[in-house]
Amino acid sequence: MKKRILALGLCLALAMSLLTGCGGELTDEQIITKATNDEVKYLTDGKLKNDTVIMTINGEDVSAISLCYWLSYYETQMAYYYSMYGETLDLTAEVSDGVTAADSLLDYAYQAVVSYTTMDQKAAEYELTLTEDEESNVQEYMDLQDTYSMLYFCTTAEEQGEIYRQYQLSTKLQDVLYAEGGEREITDETLQDYITDNGIYNCRYILCQADEDDEDAVAEAQTQAQEIYDELSALEGDALLEKFMEYQEQNADGNTDEYSYSDDDSLVDGFKESVADLEVGQLGMTDQTSYGYFVLLRLDVDMDTVKEDYISSDFNSQMTTWADEAEVELANAYDKLDAQTFLENLTELQTVVSTAQEAADSSAEAS
């Protein structure tokens, strides 16, 4: 049986953090003991085990622990996102017709497993391996994993080591793909097209801020911006940039910055449009915006930054393509993984883990 993955931009996350949930019926010690023996078995009520083969990707077996790590990771991140807005993630809520939040998180986990497995396979095609020092770094990273963190994210030291190894291989693969003569060689034309297609600009700005509902403040901000603009208009080249940066340093409110990417939808209306109208090295000033008036100085884009951004964007697209083209066969065990039950059990376990971690930390401090 094949399953098509959903589109989702991914980044490899290695850091672990602790949140809280709700308790369970067994004692904390009993729960931690059971989960440590085989966490997938504990969280799936015995339906699966850590090493249960849950799918094959281009003929390569994938165990349940791999999928369950990503499922726990995405659930934790999503729960944290909701908490920042004072809300609680409802796993039963429908995010689309007939698809619950729990189902959606399972789709994300599925994609992560397929994407990183196929990336790993692509690296193998290029015969990419880790050096002795890199392998040593992987082992050191594995040794750093503690029981509480691994239980919290339903993972093992070996699984985390594999993720770290994939991270290092992805860097090597990018170096090969985007190098001169590589399969996705980057040329000046490639980067210029990327800059044009994505509307990438670079400029410095000074904001003379005012509440748009305060007519006197708006008039004062306009006068201030115009005076700055008129003074700077008498300069050019390095002298202009130097004086512009002096004004930025003098702005006690901190309403100065360097802007680089125009695909930031959070920018105020009128800002990007004004930047786009300027030539490189040209000074400009916006009309009134909801924040006030901006004095602008357009600069050359940082090509090194653009190159890094292009590689990151294109490589993510390639990972999606490789995953879409993969031959994925789901084992019967896949249908035994009920995402909602798993995540509810995980939330209870996370509370126990958090409590045990706090107790261990307190004990260590006391001694």
Side-chain angles (χ1 to χ4, degrees):
M1 175 171 53
K2 297 180 182 178
K3 188 174 190 297
R4 182 172 179 78
I5 58 179
L6 304 175
L8 175 72
L10 295 174
C11 62
L12 192 61
L14 301 177
M16 292 188 174
S17 60
L18 294 180
L19 300 173
T20 59
C22 52
E25 295 180 358
L26 299 176
T27 66
D28 288 0
E29 184 178 354
Q30 289 172 325
I31 289 175
I32 288 178
T33 298
K34 289 188 68 174
T36 302
N37 289 337
D38 192 314
E39 189 167 2
V40 171
K41 182 178 180 180
Y42 175 77
L43 295 175
T44 60
D45 297 332
K47 294 179 181 178
L48 301 172
K49 295 182 178 181
N50 283 4
D51 59 1
T52 300
V53 174
I54 206 163
M55 69 177 78
T56 60
I57 303 172
N58 294 326
E60 180 178 338
D61 289 343
V62 175
S63 62
I65 191 69
S66 298
L67 182 67
C68 289
Y69 161 71
W70 285 108
L71 179 55
S72 65
Y73 170 76
Y74 282 118
E75 188 275 340
T76 303
Q77 295 301 306
M78 187 64 72
Y80 177 70
Y81 173 82
Y82 271 76
S83 70
M84 291 183 66
Y85 293 91
E87 298 180 8
T88 301
L89 173 62
D90 181 0
L91 295 171
T92 65
E94 284 197 5
V95 295
S96 61
D97 291 342
V99 178
T100 67
D103 294 331
S104 180
L105 290 169
L106 180 57
D107 280 333
Y108 294 160
Y110 172 94
Q111 182 183 0
V113 169
V114 178
S115 294
Y116 287 116
T117 300
T118 52
M119 183 282 298
D120 200 12
Q121 292 169 345
K122 179 62 69 170
E125 289 180 20
Y126 281 91
E127 300 181 347
L128 300 177
T129 58
L130 301 188
T131 65
E132 258 185 57
D133 286 342
E134 289 167 339
E135 290 287 5
S136 177
N137 290 337
V138 172
Q139 186 58 54
E140 288 178 8
Y141 180 74
M142 291 169 61
D143 293 341
L144 288 173
Q145 303 308 306
D146 65 272
T147 299
Y148 295 127
S149 293
M150 288 188 289
L151 285 176
Y152 195 89
F153 279 96
C154 188
T155 190
T156 62
E158 291 74 21
E159 183 65 24
Q160 287 303 298
E162 178 64 14
I163 290 173
Y164 189 26
R165 187 184 67 81
Q166 289 177 340
Y167 169 74
Q168 294 188 85
L169 283 176
S170 72
T171 301
K172 291 175 177 285
L173 182 56
Q174 289 177 52
D175 290 342
V176 170
L177 291 176
Y178 297 98
E180 183 177 354
E183 184 179 321
R184 305 194 65 77
E185 177 182 0
I186 299 176
T187 64
D188 291 342
E189 183 179 0
T190 299
L191 295 182
Q192 287 301 326
D193 287 344
Y194 181 71
I195 289 171
T196 301
D197 293 344
N198 291 277
I200 295 175
Y201 305 101
N202 184 25
C203 80
R204 287 187 174 273
Y205 66 81
I206 302 166
L207 170 60
C208 297
Q209 193 166 12
D211 184 342
E212 60 183 336
D213 295 326
D214 186 334
E215 293 184 3
D216 291 339
V218 169
E220 183 179 345
Q222 183 180 21
T223 299
Q224 181 186 13
Q226 190 65 55
E227 290 176 352
I228 294 173
Y229 175 81
D230 290 342
E231 179 182 355
L232 293 174
S233 293
L235 305 173
E236 59 183 23
D238 291 341
L240 170 58
L241 177 59
E242 182 178 344
K243 188 63 178 179
F244 197 99
M245 293 175 67
E246 280 184 24
Y247 267 112
Q248 289 185 302
E249 292 172 359
Q250 293 167 8
N251 193 322
D253 294 331
N255 295 315
T256 60
D257 209 340
E258 186 169 4
Y259 157 78
S260 296
Y261 296 96
S262 72
D263 59 354
D264 185 348
D265 293 333
S266 68
L267 292 175
V268 63
D269 289 343
F271 183 97
K272 291 189 291 185
E273 295 80 0
S274 297
V275 175
D277 288 339
L278 299 176
E279 299 294 332
V280 173
Q282 185 179 0
L283 190 71
M285 177 176 158
T286 67
D287 293 329
Q288 181 186 347
T289 71
S290 58
Y291 288 160
Y293 292 84
F294 291 88
V295 180
L296 308 168
L297 177 59
R298 182 167 174 182
L299 305 171
D300 283 317
V301 298
D302 183 337
M303 294 305 290
D304 287 339
T305 300
V306 170
K307 184 176 180 179
E308 290 176 6
D309 188 68
Y310 169 79
I311 290 175
S312 177
S313 175
D314 191 71
F315 188 67
N316 279 336
S317 296
Q318 282 303 296
M319 286 182 66
T320 299
T321 298
W322 296 331
D324 282 342
E325 295 173 349
E327 291 291 332
V328 181
E329 297 293 335
L330 300 183
N332 291 333
Y334 188 91
D335 293 331
K336 296 180 181 179
L337 177 60
D338 181 88
Q340 184 174 326
T341 298
F342 174 90
L343 293 172
E344 288 173 350
N345 289 342
L346 176 68
T347 301
E348 294 177 358
L349 176 61
Q350 287 174 335
T351 296
V352 173
V353 169
S354 296
T355 301
Q357 178 73 76
E358 291 171 1
D361 290 344
S362 297
S363 177
E365 291 175 4
S367 61

